[in-house]
Amino acid sequence: MRSWRMNTGGSGNVGHPKYDSGEIGLSKYDSGEIPRGYVPSVTNSQMSGEIPGASPDHHMMSPTGNISRRAPFPYVNHSPNPSREFSGSIGNVAWKERVDGWKMKQDKGAIPMTNGTSIAPSEGRAATDIDASTEYNMEDALLNDETRQPLSRKVPIASSKINPYRMVIVLRLVVLSIFLHYRLTNPVRNAYPLWLLSVICEIWFALSWILDQFPKWFPINRETYLDRLALRYDREGEPSQLAAVDIFVSTVDPLKEPPIVTANTVLSILAVDYPVDKVSCYVSDDGASMLTFDALAETSEFARKWVPFVKKYDIEPRAPEFYFCQKIDYLKDKVQPSFVKDRRAMKREYEEFKIRINALVSKALKVPEEGWIMQDGTPWPGNNTRDHPGMIQVFLGHSGGLDTEGNELPRLVYVSREKRPGFQHHKKAGAMNALVRVSAVLTNGQYMLNLDCDHYINNSKAVREAMCFLMDPNLGPQVCYVQFPQRFDGIDRNDRYANRNTVFFDINLRGLDGIQGPVYVGTGCVFNRTAIYGYEPPIKAKKPGFLASLCGGKKKASKSKKRSSDKKKSNKHVDSSVPVFNLEDIEEGVEGAGFDDEKSVLMSQMSLEKRFGQSAAFVASTLMEYGGVPQSSTPESLLKEAIHVISCGYEDKSEWGTEIGWIYGSVTEDILTGFKMHARGWRSVYCMPKRPAFKGSAPINLSDRLNQVLRWALGSVEILFSRHCPLWYGYGGRLKFLERFAYINTTIYPLTSLPLLVYCILPAICLLTGKFIMPEISNLASIWFIALFLSIFATGILEMRWSGVGIDEWWRNEQFWVIGGISAHLFAVFQGLLKVLAGIDTNFTVTSKANDEEGDFAELYMFKWTTLLIPPTTILIINMVGVVAGTSYAINSGYQSWGPLFGKLFFAFWVIVHLYPFLKGLMGRQNRTPTIVIVWAVLLASIFSLLWVRVDPFTTRLAGPNIQTCGINC
């Protein structure tokens, strides 16, 4: 493995790779003396958000101004409190700039906030430039009606499709009520316990169906207009006015999340169709792995060749692994004669790149006893993954990252937050919050896109799609995030374990989009930074009622009208200063204090630091609505401050993880984070472009899939038993009723595993005991039973009709609902109870994201032992034994026993058919089941069956004479 020189103090002769030719070789090194305290160089134009970056040769600059040509190395902090060291150089200056801008805006009559305050213009641009450019663009926009058109629109579902669907839902609710009434009023006397259990299960299933069904009452589609977005914000020949976007990629273990997968994700980001000076990519290495660091260095070099190639020929997708493996005619629509030659050359370059990455991985498998050593002889700071300093390395930066054609590349920054024993690091949620703070200090993009390391950008215009909602003057101020559906590569054709999750992404989330927006699903989501900081959205002005107009509401309405008019005008340009939040929410005790009073300004800064942490530079960045970093900041101070905000103790006594950023308290931090935003009144948007925006990998192996579902279910159970449970949290906010229904269903669905387990065992019990959960039904009751089944089928058919989901996808989802319910969800309930009641925590397992290099979906047939396999296997065998026993009993008992048998066999086959994909997974390709599974399943099934035979055997008992009464003469 290649190792880099770390800035840990001291100097010495060090070997480094050469970057002069733009290529990295595994054995090309030079040597030289590196003084203490190097930081990457940076341009001075911080107005538009430029950050420290490396030159094409990865130049490193010392504080004294000496420039050395060296390989990149992460910057490591030495100061015990960096914020104090340069709070005077950054914080006070930035704070004064903010206050001056605030006062200037107040003098000009700024638009008031929701509670009466106003906000300063976006810092990083001069006020005169803002006014001039705004005036120019407004006059130009008036000449073209297209620039005043909305950037997106709702497309309602056709009434011919949605109205029958709603009618069937109402009809099903009525029939279900009558069915439950019949079940409650007609107990089975000879099988009362079985009847009672079945009725309880059916009532729970009915409540679960209501919680799942009614949030799908208002499904919608959306259209975006990229041409209008370009006409308004990105005209050809003019500086782009599109908002800056910081893109986050998170990874932990490079052996489970292969570096080549992460590299493809990063390459697709660097090649995205968006202004390069508006894109910054931050890679979080929460495992502090030297392999990830080295692989990212290789990726930054390969990007210099890959990015100009894909942009020249407009290639999709822009992840090389998935582009070159496409089985399509790559010459289609390609008219340039040089394309074939360039494509072959690029494919060779990529194969060489993969060889270098694989060489790094091979070497990383053999960890030296003393840990990884860098070329200067010092140990890699991340050798102890639980005890290491924070590290930041800028691989590509403004004017420091040029491709082979001399064009600028987006910024690429490596981040590994500090970890020390005794501190809570909060797993992925903590890593995401660290990226929020680092990006705010270095670039401070107005919006943030987060991706898992295996989710590459499949549609290069995905960010522009999101901007059609976030930068829309009418819709944008209310939107906290734009969620894209997850799409996957490498899934078997039949999707045996419902990995695509099509029902959730194409039905449930589209239904929520018509209410208050989809839930956040953890990746493929573009956030409004203001919403992440815990602020509330602006309240839309409403027309006053009759009593309000009598009480002076007319005057207030006129003011509100004037404000909204000013808002529309200013929103036509990106530099508008429409307030989205106000300081009164966070400036405790300074209401009414004038900003001329330096004491009140100091109190305001202290209250902000109490909320956001002890970093004056970061606090100042939170007040910049449109992003950018202070003009007065220096590259050295920015990097030091960035190191400070990722220290392990930075979040102490602040609101990070409770009200700000990704919320702590659950392994499914995505659900909790989105719920907090919706509870504050924000709405989200679901964007489904024709070409999928992002694609990722999913575990197609049965054990991996069940472990993934277990983690999701465990997170829901943790939320259920926390203070953020949607059953009782957020009633004072602006969360809509049906949106709360959806969140309640998201948190309680693991509990359905208990009645589902009972309901899957009941058929076997009925067959073994000769009893049944249903009494003999009349003709009228049979009609209601038939009506219930018909309404269930009709709901599914009409749902597939308006959503476009195929019947095979719908059926796979139903099957895996049963498989996951009696295995992963069941274990999640007990693990959640153990964590809440006994404090026993469960280790988080990263889902393997390895590629299926063996072909033919070899991983699909691979068996990995897990205790999650025991309950479904046992239930399968019990029901099969029950079918055999029940049939044998009916044969021995005569013709009259066949009628009751059919009802029992129907429920048993219902269970077996739903568990059929699980049975295929156990059998594998060679139809061989591991011995341990057979032993446990047969053992439990045998014990269960023998107990019932001993207590109530299913063989017929013959009544004979009482010998004790009549003796031998009977």
Side-chain angles (χ1 to χ4, degrees), residues 135-292:
E135 182 180 356
Y136 170 79
N137 278 294
M138 286 178 60
E139 292 176 356
D140 192 40
L142 292 174
L143 300 177
N144 194 332
D145 291 339
E146 191 71 18
T147 60
R148 297 195 297 271
Q149 297 296 320
L151 302 179
S152 65
R153 75 178 182 98
K154 292 182 182 179
V155 182
I157 306 295
S159 58
S160 60
K161 295 181 179 179
I162 197 64
N163 288 339
Y165 174 67
R166 291 170 177 167
M167 292 172 60
V168 169
I169 291 175
V170 174
L171 180 63
R172 180 175 172 181
L173 186 63
V174 173
V175 173
L176 184 61
S177 302
I178 298 173
F179 169 78
L180 292 177
H181 178 266
Y182 174 82
R183 292 283 284 132
L184 288 169
T185 55
N186 292 271
V188 181
R189 301 298 179 186
N190 64 338
Y192 194 84
L194 298 180
W195 168 83
L196 183 61
L197 282 174
S198 65
V199 169
I200 293 174
C201 294
E202 288 160 5
I203 292 174
W204 181 267
F205 293 151
L207 293 175
S208 177
W209 172 75
I210 291 173
L211 290 174
D212 178 70
Q213 186 66 66
F214 281 91
K216 296 183 282 190
W217 189 265
F218 303 103
I220 62 170
N221 295 317
R222 292 184 184 271
E223 281 184 358
T224 55
Y225 303 106
L226 298 178
D227 53 344
R228 296 178 184 175
L229 178 76
L231 192 61
R232 182 176 296 188
Y233 295 112
D234 194 27
R235 296 187 182 184
E236 189 175 354
E238 298 179 7
S240 175
Q241 299 298 325
L242 290 172
V245 180
D246 294 334
I247 304 178
F248 303 154
V249 179
S250 56
T251 181
V252 181
D253 187 351
L255 299 181
K256 290 186 176 181
E257 300 167 326
I260 193 64
V261 174
T262 306
N264 272 272
T265 299
V266 171
L267 289 169
S268 69
I269 293 172
L270 298 178
V272 70
D273 183 7
Y274 206 74
V276 292
D277 60 323
K278 306 285 186 179
V279 178
S280 301
C281 177
Y282 292 83
V283 179
S284 170
D285 177 16
D286 220 32
S289 170
M290 196 170 179
L291 172 58
T292 302

